[in-house]
Amino acid sequence: MLTSATDRLYPELMNNTTEASIFICLVNIGEGTPFISALELRPLSNSIYNQPGPSEALNTLYRYDVGSNGDNLNTSYLKDPYTRTWDELAPSLLPHSDFFSNNSIGALTNDAYSIPLVVLSTAAKPLSGYRSLSFTWSPNDIPRLPPVQVVQVYWHFAEIEKLGFNDSMEFNIFLGGNPLFGPIKLRHLEAQTFVSPTIYLNGSSLSFSINQTSSSTLPPILNALEIYSVIGLTKSPTNQEDVNAIMQVKAMYPCQVPRSWQGDPCLPVDPWDGLQCSSNNTPRILYLDLSSSSLEGDIPPSLSNLTALQYLNLSYNGLTGNIPEFLAQLPFLKIM
């Protein structure tokens, strides 16, 4: 929620859409008139940031350049192919000391997530005398709407300094005290990413640790960290054939249809004026009332594709020509 003119809010959502159109809707929840200042769409590779389920999306909670002292903030954004913002990680969340490469890094191999070099060229390592990195975060630290209940974590690693002949770095990732990944061995100048399964917080904190193994001579490092909230999409978009049909009606009568005909015809809360939709997971348009709308010419042929239509009202318009046969072929049309 924005409470002053100086507030900034940059929500970010990753969704694997299966439809030809994407509708972005702002819903008034009684906390002031919703508005949007800018909207950016970024295509992502299909091999990264996969949603846990087909009806779920990832909402960015935190994205950290773990070993940075904040100097890389603008540089990392400009050099990121997906314009991701990488923030500095507060020591209170993960006590650590910063570690950076003394050598110029030209490129990393296996970087499927395209993490900027300026981000992966720094890392966090345990404080002196410790053998592990430990992270704890509570969803109650920053109240959100809706509350954070399910999360997914992405750990990004890169060995940016070549190890000595007798040195070794091997570690395990523990989630809530239970082993999750490992033993992990990094390879020089090769990026590696590990993705957690969905984590159900149930009101508890998110905690993980990266622990040095008994056979390792060096403590672990962590270069970058991402944490996402997993959001359930309660409904799929309106049936694509229905969307195409009603959008063709809108294109045919751009000045006659209601101004509220924006976004998804049936979602997210109320359907467009003059429409009623089914309540199933993929809504269908059941009711269309365009009476007294100053329509002229022939009855729109795209209405033939509204195959779930039960009620159609085109009265008190200036439509001409014969009643098309396709209306008689709509299987569920009862009232016209």
Side-chain angles (χ1 to χ4, degrees):
M1 180 188 302
L2 301 179
T3 58
S4 73
T6 59
D7 286 349
R8 300 289 188 272
L9 185 62
Y10 304 99
E12 184 180 88
L13 194 69
M14 298 185 187
N15 177 234
N16 184 14
T17 179
T18 58
E19 305 297 335
S21 302
I22 298 176
F23 298 108
I24 309 297
C25 300
L26 302 182
V27 180
N28 191 333
I29 59 173
E31 299 290 345
T33 303
F35 69 93
I36 186 168
S37 301
L39 176 65
E40 299 181 37
L41 298 178
R42 293 287 185 269
L44 297 174
S45 169
N46 289 333
S47 63
I48 62 176
Y49 297 119
N50 292 326
Q51 286 76 48
S55 60
E56 295 174 316
L58 297 179
N59 178 30
T60 306
L61 295 178
Y62 301 102
R63 182 179 291 120
Y64 292 121
D65 180 356
V66 177
S68 170
N69 58 8
D71 294 340
N72 293 338
L73 179 59
N74 292 330
T75 305
S76 63
Y77 175 83
L78 294 173
K79 294 189 176 182
D80 193 308
Y82 301 127
T83 60
R84 293 164 293 190
T85 299
W86 299 85
D87 297 319
E88 178 186 2
L89 176 60
S92 59
L93 290 175
L94 187 142
H96 67 278
S97 60
D98 294 338
F99 171 71
F100 59 91
S101 174
N102 292 316
N103 302 317
S104 176
I105 299 176
L108 295 172
T109 61
N110 199 40
D111 186 12
Y113 285 80
S114 300
I115 310 300
L117 283 176
V118 69
V119 173
L120 292 181
S121 62
T122 62
K125 65 179 181 179
L127 297 172
S128 178
Y130 288 83
R131 296 169 55 91
S132 66
L133 292 164
S134 298
F135 176 95
T136 301
W137 169 77
S138 171
N140 298 322
D141 291 345
I142 302 180
R144 293 176 182 267
L145 188 67
V148 176
Q149 298 176 334
V150 186
V151 298
Q152 193 172 49
V153 182
Y154 290 69
W155 295 273
H156 302 288
F157 301 94
E159 178 49 71
I160 52 180
E161 285 287 295
K162 192 171 181 61
L163 303 183
F165 182 77
N166 293 320
D167 289 332
S168 63
M169 182 185 295
E170 184 181 79
F171 52 86
N172 298 308
I173 299 177
F174 285 76
L175 181 64
N178 300 310
L180 183 62
F181 297 114
I184 297 170
K185 290 184 177 181
L186 302 183
R187 290 178 285 273
H188 185 50
L189 298 183
E190 179 177 317
Q192 294 190 53
T193 295
F194 294 85
V195 183
S196 78
T198 52
I199 303 169
Y200 296 87
L201 297 179
N202 295 321
S204 61
S205 298
L206 169 68
S207 64
F208 67 80
S209 62
I210 305 173
N211 301 341
Q212 178 180 345
T213 66
S214 58
S215 60
S216 176
T217 64
L218 296 175
I221 63 172
L222 175 62
N223 303 72
L225 174 69
E226 297 179 88
I227 303 175
Y228 294 91
S229 172
V230 180
I231 298 178
L233 304 178
T234 56
K235 281 191 176 182
S236 300
T238 299
N239 176 272
Q240 189 63 49
E241 292 297 322
D242 286 8
V243 172
N244 294 341
I246 203 68
M247 292 299 285
Q248 289 175 29
V249 174
K250 178 181 176 181
M252 191 171 179
Y253 300 105
C255 299
Q256 288 83 7
V257 298
R259 294 181 61 187
S260 62
W261 280 30
Q262 304 289 334
D264 188 294
C266 297
L267 300 173
V269 179
D270 297 317
W272 290 353
D273 290 343
L275 270 63
Q276 292 182 16
C277 302
S278 65
S279 59
N280 54 334
N281 187 54
T282 302
R284 301 296 306 272
I285 297 175
L286 306 180
Y287 177 109
L288 176 59
D289 184 355
L290 287 175
S291 60
S292 303
S293 298
S294 301
L295 306 184
E296 297 179 350
D298 295 333
I299 291 178
S302 62
L303 294 179
S304 63
N305 294 320
L306 293 176
T307 55
L309 197 65
Q310 299 177 9
Y311 176 96
L312 176 63
N313 188 352
L314 299 175
S315 61
Y316 300 104
N317 287 295
L319 296 169
T320 57
N322 297 324
I323 296 177
E325 294 184 4
F326 65 74
L327 292 178
Q329 298 173 0
L330 292 175
F332 301 102
L333 186 60
K334 300 177 182 177
I335 300 175
M336 183 175 68

